[in-house]
Amino acid sequence: MASGGDSGPAGATPTTVLQICTLSNLPERNDAVAKIGGMLQKAGSKVKKLVSRQSDGSDESERRSASPEKHGGYSPRIEVRVLKALRGEEHRMFHRADPEMHTNVHERAGSTTTWNAYIDLAGPVSPEDTLAFSVVHVDHNPATKNERLGACTVPVSKLMADEVATLPISLEHKFSERAESQCTLTVRLIDVPKPARSKVVFLVRHGESKWNAAQKSRNVLGLINHDHPLNQTGFQQAEDLNHRWNGPHDCHDEYTKDEDSARLHAQFLTTQHAYSSPLTRAVQTACGVLEGHPALLKGRKLTLLSGIREIRSSFGSLDTSGSAVGDGIAGRVTSQLEMLVGIERAAALVPLIDPNDADAVYWSHLKDSKDRIQLRFDSLLRLIRFSSWETAIFVGHSLFWRQFCHTFADTERIEQRDPECSSKMGTHKMGNGSMMAIKIEWADDGLPSIVEARMMYGTKFAEKRGKGSDEDDRDEDDTDDGGASSESPASGGGATPPPRPPPPARTT
């Protein structure tokens, strides 16, 4: 696998990227139906809390401070839609910056929400161009409609003059009457003269969580809780993976004998950016796997990325919902690690954490549709391509990584270097506490493909539980083999997986 970060060819088309940074001071929506939904949701949350007290040993004071029960039953969200006008002529292409912020407007009134979403404006812009922004409240509630909250139009020349531009949003009349202060949107333009042609990133799946133990013991109360932390086995898997890359040379030499693995190992050791799903088990895993890694040293932070949280495959998938936002995430992770390794060790493990776009309720209570999942994939790919770094580490979840690989893998090219990865990466989960390096390549038309893949440091894919079993399609997480734990059995050959259906249409 070649080193990542290859810049575009000499003939690559330059482009301009718009970064939506923050949205501040949204007014109260005052929607009666949405409020009723919120009241019903809060009533349900009280039942969850009663169950949690019986099944989770975490401190109640922590739960009260970290649990943001401020969301409606229909999980509305805010979108910023961008229309680019070229030199006064309308360019009929809408771009959406949808950072997966699922929360009622009236619960976030007066606050600032971080997005940091990238939008490719599909080519360079001129000072004579204009950009039109529209802030829209998107509601899944069948009793209400999507509603435009406000808009603004700004010449590109103003955005070029400012490093970060603060744009006043002109609110619709019924919302402006409720506004306590000016609603603003902060954005910045990024010129990309040579868009990256390829990059290598490292995908990590978290270790085994308490959900697994609840499944083994048939503890129903344990299964219906949400945002499960790691259990002792899960944290050991994270530490085992750390020892494999961070141990003596004779330790990781076993896993870097061939040229590709040795090159990837060297690249992993120099990676200086790390991201994690905000869910507790993923952040705990990042703490264990990346202890002592350059990505979290010298003041560098672990950046949370809500878009790589686990896929919610059904309404009852409680473990895809978080239990903390913002700075409360670091507090919850620390307290849960203290139960596993003690106070002093936990304090040393938890790095500086940037909540990023997890500073508000980032999860949905609805099943993720294919379109919603695709939007999350597209957002991740734009981050990877247009960030200034050469490579990065992402700690996430099995269903998300499997579907991501299924959607974008070029299995014929991957098979040339790693037949096992080619046959399993889109049909099998990564094992708990495992790592996979992938190389993403963008074609001349901008479409991405995973062209190379390699499981790292002896970690493996999890084996399916038998022909016709649907256990591999559950939400996080059934107990999986294949991670870094020394007790995990090696993956067997198994039956050849069935052919995959054609992937859905891809966008960037």
Side-chain angles (χ1 to χ4, degrees):
M1 183 182 296
S3 298
D6 300 336
S7 61
T13 303
T15 190
T16 300
V17 175
L18 178 73
Q19 184 180 18
I20 309 293
C21 302
T22 63
L23 180 65
S24 301
N25 301 320
L26 277 175
E28 181 180 348
R29 189 182 180 208
N30 198 29
D31 184 280
V33 175
K35 285 189 174 181
I36 291 173
M39 291 170 62
L40 292 174
Q41 185 65 40
K42 287 177 183 178
S45 72
K46 292 181 179 179
V47 176
K48 288 183 184 178
K49 285 184 178 180
L50 290 174
V51 171
S52 298
R53 291 172 188 169
Q54 300 176 39
S55 59
D56 188 348
S58 58
D59 183 74
E60 177 62 23
S61 61
E62 172 211 336
R63 190 192 317 282
R64 189 178 296 114
S65 63
S67 298
E69 300 295 347
K70 296 184 175 182
H71 44 76
Y74 289 98
S75 297
R77 66 181 189 273
I78 305 299
E79 290 182 353
V80 172
R81 299 177 179 178
V82 185
L83 177 64
K84 182 172 69 172
L86 301 177
R87 295 168 182 79
E89 295 183 4
E90 184 173 301
H91 185 67
R92 297 183 179 277
M93 182 180 296
F94 278 91
H95 303 268
R96 286 194 302 187
D98 181 0
E100 295 285 323
M101 184 185 75
H102 293 278
T103 179
N104 275 342
V105 175
H106 70 269
E107 297 286 7
R108 294 290 297 168
S111 62
T112 296
T113 298
T114 302
W115 284 14
N116 288 334
Y118 290 86
I119 300 175
D120 184 2
L121 296 179
V125 294
S126 163
E128 291 79 25
D129 297 339
T130 60
L131 295 177
F133 298 84
S134 180
V135 181
V136 181
H137 185 278
V138 180
D139 203 335
H140 295 288
N141 189 336
T144 59
K145 296 180 179 180
N146 294 348
E147 201 166 20
R148 192 171 85 158
L149 303 178
C152 73
T153 301
V154 60
V156 168
S157 58
K158 173 176 173 54
L159 300 182
M160 289 179 167
D162 299 327
E163 177 68 21
V164 177
T166 300
L167 311 178
I169 300 297
S170 177
L171 297 170
E172 299 295 321
H173 178 69
K174 65 178 180 179
F175 299 115
S176 63
E177 293 178 337
R178 307 178 195 134
E180 298 180 358
S181 54
Q182 177 65 58
C183 178
T184 59
L185 184 71
T186 60
V187 302
R188 70 185 183 116
L189 285 179
I190 305 171
D191 285 324
V192 185
K194 291 185 178 181
R197 186 60 183 265
S198 66
K199 283 189 176 181
V200 169
V201 294
F202 299 90
L203 311 182
V204 178
R205 183 195 172 186
H206 67 78
E208 183 179 297
S209 73
K210 287 186 177 180
W211 195 100
N212 306 125
Q215 184 193 35
K216 292 175 185 176
S217 62
R218 302 184 184 276
N219 179 359
V220 177
L221 292 180
L223 290 174
I224 65 174
N225 202 357
H226 58 275
D227 195 21
H228 292 81
L230 297 180
N231 59 17
Q232 196 69 53
T233 299
F235 186 72
Q236 185 62 53
Q237 290 167 335
E239 286 196 315
D240 286 348
L241 181 54
N242 177 279
H243 295 158
R244 293 191 180 197
W245 71 259
N246 198 25
H249 285 294
D250 57 355
C251 178
H252 54 65
D253 282 354
E254 178 183 352
Y255 309 111
T256 56
K257 293 179 180 178
D258 62 273
E259 182 180 348
D260 281 349
S261 296
R263 182 165 53 245
L264 288 169
H265 172 63
Q267 190 169 357
F268 177 76
L269 294 182
T270 59
T271 300
Q272 296 188 358
H273 293 82
Y275 298 83
S276 173
S277 156
L279 292 170
T280 301
R281 56 192 181 273
V283 183
Q284 286 179 297
T285 301
C287 293
V289 171
L290 300 179
E291 182 182 15
H293 194 280
L296 300 183
L297 298 179
K298 298 182 179 179
R300 299 186 185 98
K301 297 182 179 181
L302 175 66
T303 302
L304 304 185
L305 199 61
S306 67
I308 64 173
R309 70 186 185 278
E310 182 59 303
I311 292 173
R312 192 180 187 98
S313 63
S314 69
F315 180 78
S317 305
L318 299 179
D319 212 28
T320 63
S321 297
S323 59
V325 298
D327 293 335
I329 295 174
R332 174 172 167 79
V333 168
T334 301
S335 66
Q336 293 295 330
L337 280 175
E338 288 174 355
M339 298 179 189
L340 297 175
V341 299
I343 295 176
E344 292 186 6
R345 175 86 169 111
L349 275 171
V350 179
L352 296 173
I353 294 178
D354 176 8
N356 191 36
D357 63 353
D359 62 349
V361 176
Y362 56 85
W363 59 89
S364 171
H365 296 280
L366 299 174
K367 177 181 177 180
D368 283 317
S369 67
K370 291 182 179 180
D371 289 342
R372 301 293 311 146
I373 296 169
Q374 187 65 43
L375 285 173
R376 288 165 61 185
F377 290 163
D378 293 343
S379 179
L380 173 60
L381 286 163
R382 287 193 296 269
L383 171 70
I384 293 172
R385 189 179 194 191
F386 297 121
S387 291
S388 58
W389 41 256
E390 295 296 316
T391 184
I393 303 160
F394 294 86
V395 183
H397 305 268
S398 61
L399 299 184
F400 187 87
W401 292 142
R402 184 179 67 179
Q403 186 62 30
F404 182 77
C405 292
H406 176 89
T407 303
F408 297 103
D410 184 336
T411 53
E412 291 185 0
R413 292 184 64 180
I414 295 170
E415 186 177 16
Q416 296 173 13
R417 289 180 179 263
D418 197 317
E420 183 180 20
C421 261
S422 174
S423 65
K424 290 185 175 181
M425 64 187 297
T427 58
H428 290 60
K429 290 180 179 180
M430 295 170 62
N432 286 117
S434 63
M435 181 190 297
M436 176 167 54
I438 61 171
K439 180 179 180 180
I440 304 171
E441 187 174 282
W442 286 269
D444 291 339
D445 59 5
L447 288 179
S449 296
I450 301 173
V451 297
E452 295 177 23
R454 175 68 57 95
M455 294 300 291
M456 297 288 290
Y457 304 114
T459 62
K460 300 178 181 296
F461 291 100
E463 288 304 317
K464 292 191 174 182
R465 293 176 175 251
K467 188 175 181 180
S469 171
D470 64 353
E471 290 196 3
D472 203 51
D473 292 318
R474 294 184 182 185
D475 286 278
E476 295 280 70
D477 283 294
D478 36 30
T479 304
D480 290 334
D481 300 324
S485 173
S486 59
E487 296 181 1
S488 298
S491 61
T496 303
R500 287 178 240 166
R506 297 175 295 175
T507 60
T508 51

